[in-house]
Amino acid sequence: MDLFSLSIEALGEVIIKSASGFEEKVIEAPTAVTIISEQMIVNSGVYTLRDLLTLYVPSFVQVQDQNEYNVSFRGIYTSSQQKFLILLNGHRLNSRAYSMANPDHAISLEKIKRIEVLRGPGSSVHGNIALTSVVNIISKSGESVAGFVGSTEFGNYGYKELYFEFGNKKNKIDYFSWFKFVESDGEKVLIKPEDDYSPKPNVMPVYSVLDGFFNEASYDLGLTIKVDDSWSFLVNHRQGHYIEPLTTGGISGEAYSIKNIPLVNGVSPGAMSTWWHYYLKNDWNVNNRNNLHIKVYYDSNDIKGPVVINAQTNAFVDVAWQEYDYGLSVQWLHDFNWAQLLLGIDFDDTKLTNSQATAGSNGVITGPILFNGEPVLKLGKESILSTYLQYKQPIFKKLKLNAGVRFDAKKRLTGTDIKEVSPRIALLYNKGNSIYKLSYAKSFVDPPYWNRYSSFASFRGSSDLKPEILKSIQFTPEFHFLNKRSQLKFNLYHNEYTDIVFRKKTALPNEPLFINAGKLKTIGIEPEFTYQFEKRTFRFIGSYYKIKKSEGYSADNNEIYNIPRYQFNLIFDQKLNDIVSYQLSLKYIGSRKSPINIAFNNVPVEDPFPNEGVEYQVPENMLPPTFLSNMNIRWQIPSLPMVVTFNVKNIFDKTWRQGGTVVHPYQQTGRWFKFGAEYKF
């Protein structure tokens, strides 16, 4: 594969479906879309989907959670990846009860042909979860692989991975399979007693583990089959287990020794999720003007989440549950020649089949926890029925209308059922070397099952929580020049985010902790510049936002907490010759407000080292700007179908911190490197 074969013009001509439900060129999509090609993924050498999104897509920012691997888009985030939708070949990967897919090692990057990132509300097509954006992963085909490929990588901090893929196309049957396995011991950071955010820190220093993935490895395996370009089948089994770096419960953010916490069902502290995904779909061309698409599917998700709640007694709680869902999707597309109409109906039924909590301390599991005789999560099922309509047509020769609306009706287990209407309308003006898009869209996300039915006192939710709503206006001009070797894009947006679910700290014991009361209005700009010349590509990807109004959200009048107002990436790719190519990237993360508030039951905790080490109460804490640099080198061995790689993340071993849904910013990883080899048989 020629890693520099896909030009700017070719990227704009890529056919996508995730933006409006219609097959259309990227340049004709109704809103801002970023395409991450296979060559861009290979060139970058990044570890995870989170790394990839924060490298190539404006406004994606890495954020820290206590025990989950997380990322934010346009300043909207929570404790897990629950505010944007991740798809595989158009199929939802986000779970139902917890609404997450996890952008970690459970989603392998090697299997990907391209990624379509719809930046902005996507509920008019995709419904629930598509609040801020949609990330649609398109897997490779057997025809493009045409054989067997094996690769391995290993690096410092015990990082190791193994990947295989196999595919081909014979007699109109295309098959592609993949398998990836990843483990990492994690980077161990020494935390001294005076630097521990604990009222009773350990007498001796304790090691915190950063980006550890072990005790139940991460993996992603799957198979796709396509028959005669009409029938398609997918099976995908994946798992991710992220080691929590500090304590999660009690006075969270304390240092603990992972060796003093027993394995619970083989799992060490941190969130672990295991998924199965299946679908069978058929595209039936009824005639030249009518197409019928039918898909049936089944998914399951198994959650295990041991968390440390007391660093002194090594007390822990393991929360686990299992769920499955099945559904049907039907679409009918009619082509009027001068216009296109898409009608669809979706049905999904979800059931929580098991829920349990186990407690222990000092290396001993003491037994299960019940809440008034009930499990940690109510058992039962929920269903959602959706109908939608999408329409597009040219108004004038260069002006096109692209609009749609979706209606979602959800039957909840208990409490108030929901009914949501998600409209979208866009105008596109194509002037050849310049394109202008103006769009309005509304989206929603239903609060996760966990927030509505958890029995934990610290997570008391309400079965009547309303969906969170996002309304967005976007204007996207795009310019091509220098014979389409250069591209300049600006995306300007106005977001109105309402009914935000947040924790009410003053709630009485008989009141829910989670309520709908937050509001956030922002405006922002996302500039992008790409220049290709000969065998070199230069990219600038930036973002800036400003708050217009904020209530009941982790923000003040000027800053969304832990989100930089300014951020940009500079990415330079070069193919030196037919043997060696490399990518060098520089990431600038602007200063960000990250308040420090160490408290227990809303009472500030006293600092045992008031004159040294860290401070416990710093409401105006600001994190300084951070520069991070990465490099990836690929060497094609002459006369062999083999590539050797070398990657360095955070080249200068920059020490930096990042906050999120945590009580103080956590230290992030330093310099990581890995060597790899890939061979095609």
Side-chain angles (χ1 to χ4, degrees):
M1 178 182 63
D2 185 351
L3 298 182
F4 291 83
S5 61
L6 203 56
S7 66
I8 294 173
E9 184 177 10
L11 281 174
E13 297 292 314
V14 169
I15 302 298
I16 66 171
K17 191 178 179 181
S18 56
S20 67
F22 298 107
E23 290 188 349
E24 56 200 355
K25 297 177 182 178
V26 173
I27 57 175
E28 296 178 351
T31 188
V33 174
T34 296
I35 297 295
I36 304 176
S37 67
E38 180 185 358
Q39 75 173 58
M40 293 165 68
I41 298 171
V42 170
N43 288 354
S44 69
V46 298
Y47 288 73
T48 63
L49 180 61
R50 183 187 72 178
D51 296 342
L52 197 65
L53 294 174
T54 57
L55 176 67
Y56 285 121
V57 188
S59 296
F60 270 102
V61 176
Q62 174 180 329
V63 289
Q64 181 67 51
D65 180 60
Q66 295 165 335
N67 63 350
E68 294 182 68
Y69 201 76
N70 206 4
V71 65
S72 161
F73 183 64
R74 292 181 182 167
I76 297 176
Y77 65 96
T78 184
S79 61
S80 183
Q81 178 275 318
Q82 299 166 332
K83 304 301 185 184
F84 66 94
L85 180 64
I86 299 179
L87 307 170
L88 174 60
N89 298 332
H91 182 70
R92 171 174 167 160
L93 295 185
N94 294 65
S95 63
R96 268 64 179 180
Y98 203 52
S99 303
M100 53 69 183
N102 286 3
D104 59 18
H105 297 292
I107 300 176
S108 64
L109 302 182
E110 291 83 356
K111 70 172 183 288
I112 299 174
K113 183 65 178 178
R114 69 174 183 276
I115 302 177
E116 306 162 2
V117 184
L118 168 63
R119 289 152 46 199
S123 289
S124 66
V125 177
H126 303 284
N128 187 27
I129 307 300
L131 183 76
T132 64
S133 57
V134 177
V135 177
N136 186 24
I137 296 168
I138 307 298
S139 66
K140 297 175 182 176
S141 65
E143 185 177 19
S144 66
V145 174
F148 178 83
V149 179
S151 67
T152 183
E153 290 187 331
F154 59 93
N156 58 345
Y157 304 119
Y159 183 84
K160 50 185 174 292
E161 71 170 61
L162 186 66
Y163 177 77
F164 298 106
E165 66 182 22
F166 176 69
N168 216 327
K169 184 175 183 179
K170 291 184 178 180
N171 300 323
K172 297 184 178 181
I173 299 177
D174 185 287
Y175 53 92
F176 171 65
S177 60
W178 69 89
F179 170 72
K180 184 172 183 178
F181 168 92
V182 177
E183 273 193 341
S184 166
D185 295 337
E187 181 178 343
K188 295 178 175 61
V189 176
L190 188 68
I191 300 179
K192 299 177 181 178
E194 61 269 25
D195 293 326
D196 187 358
Y197 289 94
S198 173
K200 298 178 180 179
N202 293 274
V203 177
M204 300 298 292
V206 173
Y207 283 98
S208 175
V209 178
L210 309 183
D211 278 18
F213 289 85
F214 56 85
N215 287 341
E216 293 288 349
S218 298
Y219 56 80
D220 179 10
L221 63 96
L223 168 69
T224 64
I225 299 175
K226 295 182 181 179
V227 181
D228 200 23
D229 294 327
S230 57
W231 288 95
S232 300
F233 169 77
L234 165 79
V235 56
N236 181 211
H237 182 40
R238 58 195 187 88
Q239 176 175 286
H241 179 213
Y242 172 65
I243 303 298
E244 64 181 31
L246 301 170
T247 63
T248 294
I251 303 173
S252 63
E254 298 178 274
Y256 75 96
S257 177
I258 193 169
K259 66 182 181 180
N260 293 331
I261 309 298
L263 300 182
V264 183
N265 296 321
V267 181
S268 54
M272 189 185 87
S273 293
T274 306
W275 291 267
W276 282 95
H277 306 284
Y278 304 86
Y279 71 62
L280 176 66
K281 59 184 178 181
N282 177 253
D283 286 303
W284 179 30
N285 290 313
V286 181
N287 53 46
N288 291 335
R289 291 193 176 185
N290 293 279
N291 178 272
L292 186 65
H293 170 92
I294 301 175
K295 180 176 81 169
V296 293
Y297 62 85
Y298 173 88
D299 304 283
S300 67
N301 183 219
D302 187 350
I303 294 284
K304 295 178 182 178
V307 298
V308 181
I309 61 174
N310 189 305
Q312 288 73 49
T313 63
N314 296 312
F316 61 89
V317 172
D318 174 52
V319 178
W321 69 81
Q322 292 81 42
E323 64 176 87
Y324 72 83
D325 75 281
Y326 60 86
L328 170 69
S329 175
V330 180
Q331 290 182 349
W332 174 66
L333 173 65
H334 181 72
D335 192 338
F336 294 96
N337 283 336
W338 50 273
Q340 287 182 298
L341 175 68
L342 176 68
L343 298 175
I345 183 168
D346 293 340
F347 173 77
D348 184 272
D349 190 87
T350 301
K351 187 173 184 179
L352 195 77
T353 58
N354 187 30
S355 170
Q356 58 188 12
T358 304
S361 63
N362 288 321
V364 179
I365 298 175
T366 56
I369 305 173
L370 292 176
F371 303 85
N372 296 321
E374 297 293 328
V376 62
L377 279 178
K378 292 180 182 293
L379 303 184
K381 68 177 184 177
E382 298 188 327
S383 61
I384 185 166
L385 179 65
S386 311
T387 59
Y388 52 95
L389 178 152
Q390 310 292 319
Y391 180 79
K392 62 184 291 188
Q393 75 163 77
I395 300 176
F396 302 111
K397 184 177 180 180
K398 297 180 180 180
L399 183 65
K400 294 183 179 180
L401 169 70
N402 194 321
V405 63
R406 181 179 174 116
F407 175 71
D408 291 272
K410 185 173 185 178
K411 178 68 177 177
R412 287 175 165 178
L413 175 63
T414 63
T416 306
D417 295 338
I418 67 169
K419 294 179 174 63
E420 285 297 329
V421 177
S422 306
R424 171 186 59 83
I425 186 168
L427 293 172
L428 296 84
Y429 182 73
N430 191 333
K431 201 179 177 182
N433 286 331
S434 58
I435 302 163
Y436 304 87
K437 303 177 184 180
L438 179 63
S439 66
Y440 165 81
K442 174 189 171 186
S443 58
F444 77 99
V445 58
D446 191 29
Y449 194 99
W450 168 262
N451 291 84
R452 290 182 280 122
Y453 303 120
S454 169
S455 298
F456 268 119
S458 56
F459 288 95
R460 287 194 317 274
S462 168
S463 59
D464 292 322
L465 283 174
K466 296 184 294 184
E468 298 179 340
I469 303 297
L470 178 66
K471 300 175 183 178
S472 184
I473 299 173
Q474 299 189 89
F475 176 60
T476 312
E478 180 177 329
F479 307 96
H480 297 256
F481 42 93
L482 297 178
N483 294 321
K484 296 192 176 182
R485 289 187 291 115
S486 190
Q487 178 189 67
L488 179 63
K489 294 195 291 186
F490 295 93
N491 186 59
L492 296 91
Y493 66 86
H494 178 281
N495 277 357
E496 183 177 354
Y497 183 29
T498 57
D499 290 324
I500 303 172
V501 176
F502 84 105
R503 187 190 295 260
K504 183 182 178 183
K505 296 181 179 180
T506 58
L508 298 175
N510 62 338
E511 293 180 333
L513 281 171
F514 291 99
I515 61 173
N516 293 97
K519 298 179 181 178
L520 179 68
K521 287 186 180 181
T522 57
I523 57 174
I525 183 171
E526 297 164 340
E528 299 175 82
F529 175 73
T530 304
Y531 180 48
Q532 287 184 335
F533 50 105
E534 295 180 351
K535 296 183 178 181
R536 303 177 182 87
T537 302
F538 171 79
R539 290 183 176 89
F540 170 87
I541 299 166
S543 61
Y544 164 80
Y545 75 85
K546 182 178 181 180
I547 293 177
K548 295 186 65 179
K549 185 177 182 180
S550 174
E551 296 177 10
Y553 192 67
S554 299
D556 56 27
N557 292 330
N558 298 310
E559 302 266 354
I560 300 174
Y561 296 163
N562 306 297
I563 304 297
R565 293 185 66 185
Y566 300 90
Q567 177 173 282
F568 67 80
N569 294 337
L570 299 175
I571 306 168
F572 182 72
D573 293 281
Q574 181 170 12
K575 186 174 183 180
L576 296 176
N577 48 48
D578 292 335
I579 298 175
V580 179
S581 63
Y582 70 91
Q583 180 184 102
L584 183 64
S585 65
L586 173 67
K587 179 188 294 288
Y588 170 78
I589 304 172
S591 60
R592 51 234 182 263
K593 192 170 186 178
S594 187
I596 298 175
N597 175 29
I598 310 303
F600 184 67
N601 291 333
N602 298 322
V603 177
V605 170
E606 184 176 348
D607 184 353
F609 297 93
N611 299 317
E612 57 182 315
V614 296
E615 297 183 64
Y616 278 35
Q617 308 297 326
V618 193
E620 299 299 318
N621 183 57
M622 292 292 296
L623 296 174
T626 301
F627 283 94
L628 300 174
S629 52
N630 309 294
M631 181 179 64
N632 189 60
I633 301 174
R634 292 177 58 83
W635 177 38
Q636 173 69 62
I637 297 180
S639 70
L640 282 178
M642 182 175 181
V643 177
V644 176
T645 62
F646 174 64
N647 179 275
V648 184
K649 179 181 179 181
N650 193 354
I651 295 173
F652 299 104
D653 201 19
K654 174 73 175 180
T655 299
W656 64 294
R657 295 178 179 273
Q658 178 63 37
T661 53
V662 287
V663 294
H664 65 83
Y666 286 15
Q667 184 169 329
Q668 303 300 299
T669 55
R671 183 192 298 119
W672 283 50
F673 62 83
K674 57 180 179 176
F675 296 89
E678 174 188 305
Y679 193 93
K680 183 169 184 178
F681 296 88

